[in-house]
Amino acid sequence: MRIHLTNVFVDDQETALRFYTDVLGFAKKHDVPLGADRWLTVVSPEDPEGTELLLEPSGHPAVGPYRAALVADGIPAASFAVDDVRAEFERLRALGVRFTQEPVEMGSVTTAVLDDTCGNLVQIVHSK
């Protein structure tokens, strides 16, 4: 068994698509119209057949309180592996990305947490 698809709830799918592709570097995989919304997924360009991230509309009434509680407590909705957290932090910060946690080393793991501009905190992580 392996993870095929996971999701993050987003306020605006088009804004999310631009952030996750143009800023974070993911590639669009699927973009299927579904009424007012879309089945919109992105993947790592390093693994185009790998796990997809669904940029899911946040319209369900439970999503707002759930995301607000996560953000208030500083809990990321997703975690993405990078080769070098400090280098990625500097690259993203230069692009105007807001971080809620600068790089922190915790033993063999380094993490940082950013705001995805779509209602979520996202962790970047590297394990040595």
Side-chain angles (χ1 to χ4, degrees), residues 4-10 12-14 16-17 27-43 50-57:
H4 169 70
L5 176 81
T6 190
N7 72 310
V8 290
F9 292 106
V10 298
D12 178 276
Q13 287 184 299
E14 192 58 38
L17 179 62
K28 181 170 61 172
K29 175 86 178 207
H30 295 288
D31 189 352
V32 179
L34 296 171
D37 297 316
R38 298 143 67 181
W39 180 263
L40 183 59
T41 67
V42 295
V43 295
T51 305
E52 295 178 48
L53 179 66
L54 174 63
L55 304 176
E56 188 163 356

Side-chain angles (χ1 to χ4, degrees), residues 10-25:
V10 298
D11 298 328
D12 178 276
Q13 287 184 299
E14 192 58 38
T15 298
L17 179 62
R18 282 192 305 273
F19 183 82
Y20 279 80
T21 56
D22 296 345
V23 177
L24 295 185

